[in-house]
Amino acid sequence: MSRRVSPPPPGVSPSRAMVLSAARMFFLTPLLELYARERYGQCTVRVTSERGAAAMDALWTSLLHRQGTEVLAAVELSAAEVAAIALHGSQVFGEGQGGLKELPADAPTPGFVLRGLPASIRTTNTSPEFSAALAKATQEQRDWVDRALAPGPLRFCPYTASSHLAGVGLEAQGVRGAPIAYHISSAQRAPELMADFWRATTQMLKGGEETTSSIILSAPAWDRRWEEWRDHIFPLLEDGVIAAGLGRTIGIVCFHPNYEVPSAAHLAKHRFGHMHSVATLRRWLGEHQPALEDHLSDHSLGEAAAQMRRSPNAVINVLWSRQLEVAEEKRRSSLLYSNNIARTFEAGEATIVRS
C-alpha cells in the first residue's frame, strides 16, 4: 500500500485524485480497525488527511479531550513526518501522562497512537485572581503594542501601525497591512499550551496574510515562569513548527515579563524566537551608537536589549516568514536594534511594561 497519496500522479486530474483518495480512505478504515483491535484492544480509530498546522491542531485537540486510546491514520503524511511529530509529542508529555507514538511499521498506513491525558492530572486554575488576569490580558497586550511596538514612545517595530494593524510599510515589497489576532491561553501545562498555539496558528494560516498579519498569544499562567518559558516551551515550539513542515512559513518571537537575553551557549542550541546575543548587539551598537556602546557594561547592554522583549504577559508572537524576510531586506537590523537600545535608556523600563 502506498505510504502517501499526494500529489496526484501525472496525468490524473485533481477531481479524479480526490475520488481515488476518498476510495482509499473508505477501504482503509475497516483494515485499520482490524489492525488496531488486534494490537491495542478497545480503542477508537480515525483517518485524517490533514497536514501541517491543521494536523497538529487535530492531534493536540484529540489528546486533550480524549480518554483512552485512539489510532489516527495520517494518510497525507510520510513515515518521516509522522516520526518527527511523534518525537515532538513525546517531549511535551511527561512519562505516564498521555502522549502520542507513531504506528508500527507493519501498520496499513503512517499514523499515530494517541493516549489522552488522564483526567486526574488535568489542571485548571479557577482562582479569582487568575480569572481576573485572563480577563484583562488582551487589553494589556493591546496597550503594550501601542506603547512599545507601534509608533508610540518606543517604536520598536517600524512595521506595526497600531495595536490593531501590522505588516505596514512594506507595500512596495508586496505586503499589505492586516489585523493583529489576539488570543488568550489559560494553559498551565505544555500540552494545553501547544493545543492553544496550534489552534490559533491554524486559524491564521487558513485566513492567509490578507486576513491576519500576526498573532499575540498571551499565557498569563507562565508570567512567573521565565526559565520554563525559555528552556522548555520555546524549544518545544521550535520542534513542533519544524516537525509540521512550517519552518519556512511562520516565525515565532518570544516575549515575557521577566525576559533576559539568553546566554551564548543557549542561543547556539536554541536561537529560535530570541533576542540577538549581547556580543552581536555590542558590535552593532559600536557601528551606530559608539558613544553609548563605550560606557555600557555587558550587563547594562543585556538589560536594555531585554526591555525589547518584556511584555505584560508571557507571549508567543507568530509572524509570517515571508514578511520577516522582506522586512530584513528593507531594514538594516544593526541600525534598528541600536536605535531601539538607545530608546530603552531614554524611556526606562516603566514606560515599556506597567506593573
Side-chain angles (χ1 to χ4, degrees):
M1 178 176 292
S2 171
R3 299 289 283 183
R4 195 165 171 178
V5 298
S6 66
V12 177
S13 67
S15 59
R16 179 170 172 75
M18 290 178 62
V19 172
L20 292 173
S21 179
R24 180 180 180 228
M25 293 178 70
F26 176 80
F27 289 107
L28 174 62
T29 301
L31 184 63
L32 190 64
E33 288 176 344
L34 178 62
Y35 174 88
R37 281 199 302 270
E38 291 178 348
R39 193 165 192 113
Y40 303 107
Q42 184 66 31
C43 64
T44 303
V45 173
R46 192 157 57 92
V47 180
T48 179
S49 58
E50 300 286 6
R51 294 184 55 78
M56 299 296 275
D57 184 22
L59 278 172
W60 288 110
T61 299
S62 185
L63 279 165
L64 294 178
H65 293 89
R66 172 170 299 285
Q67 296 185 38
T69 301
E70 177 179 86
V71 172
L72 179 64
V75 297
E76 290 294 324
L77 299 180
S78 68
E81 290 170 324
V82 168
I85 293 172
L87 176 62
H88 166 65
S90 68
Q91 295 168 337
V92 175
F93 280 91
E95 187 67 29
Q97 297 185 3
L100 68 152
K101 297 181 179 179
E102 58 183 311
L103 281 172
D106 62 349
T109 186
F112 305 94
V113 181
L114 285 69
R115 303 188 188 279
L117 189 68
S120 60
I121 63 171
R122 299 183 189 186
T123 55
T124 303
N125 189 338
T126 57
S127 70
E129 294 80 7
F130 187 63
S131 298
L134 290 176
K136 66 180 183 179
T138 296
Q139 188 56 52
E140 286 188 340
Q141 292 305 125
R142 288 184 185 276
D143 292 345
W144 167 72
V145 170
D146 276 329
R147 191 167 60 251
L149 302 184
L154 293 165
R155 309 186 303 282
F156 285 156
C157 179
Y159 309 113
T160 300
S162 69
S163 60
H164 301 281
L165 187 69
V168 300
L170 298 169
E171 290 78 9
Q173 288 75 29
V175 176
R176 294 183 179 276
I180 301 170
Y182 290 85
H183 296 267
I184 303 294
S185 171
S186 61
Q188 299 178 74
R189 299 176 66 257
E192 291 89 344
L193 183 61
M194 293 299 119
D196 290 341
F197 165 77
W198 284 112
R199 187 178 305 112
T201 300
T202 299
Q203 293 174 14
M204 174 175 164
L205 293 176
K206 284 182 178 179
E209 293 184 35
E210 300 78 11
T211 302
T212 305
S213 65
S214 55
I215 291 171
I216 299 286
L217 173 60
S218 302
W222 300 80
D223 288 356
R224 299 182 181 181
R225 300 159 68 182
W226 159 238
E227 287 79 10
E228 288 182 82
W229 196 248
R230 176 194 63 202
D231 298 337
H232 186 53
I233 295 303
F234 263 77
L236 287 177
L237 288 169
E238 178 179 15
D239 292 342
V241 169
I242 293 172
L246 295 170
R248 297 287 295 172
T249 304
I250 59 173
I252 298 178
V253 182
C254 175
F255 292 92
H256 194 275
N258 299 316
Y259 189 91
E260 296 177 359
V261 178
S263 68
H266 182 94
L267 291 174
K269 294 181 179 179
H270 301 294
R271 176 70 187 86
F272 190 83
H274 283 293
M275 174 57 65
H276 294 281
S277 69
V278 170
T280 296
L281 295 170
R282 180 172 292 283
R283 186 175 73 252
W284 288 348
L285 203 61
E287 295 175 13
H288 303 286
Q289 300 272 357
L292 179 61
E293 187 274 334
D294 188 52
H295 77 266
L296 282 183
S297 67
D298 282 352
H299 174 78
S300 296
L301 177 54
E303 180 66 15
Q307 304 298 340
M308 289 184 261
R309 294 298 186 86
R310 288 185 182 162
S311 55
N313 299 118
V315 164
I316 303 168
N317 179 207
V318 187
L319 304 165
W320 296 100
S321 293
R322 185 185 80 87
Q323 294 186 11
L324 289 172
E325 292 170 2
V326 167
E328 192 66 28
E329 292 173 1
K330 179 178 179 179
R331 75 187 186 194
R332 291 183 64 190
S333 291
S334 60
L335 179 60
L336 174 68
Y337 282 96
S338 296
N339 289 342
N340 284 352
I341 288 170
R343 277 195 288 271
T344 65
F345 285 103
E346 295 168 4
E349 181 179 358
T351 304
I352 301 169
V353 181
R354 289 185 188 144
S355 299

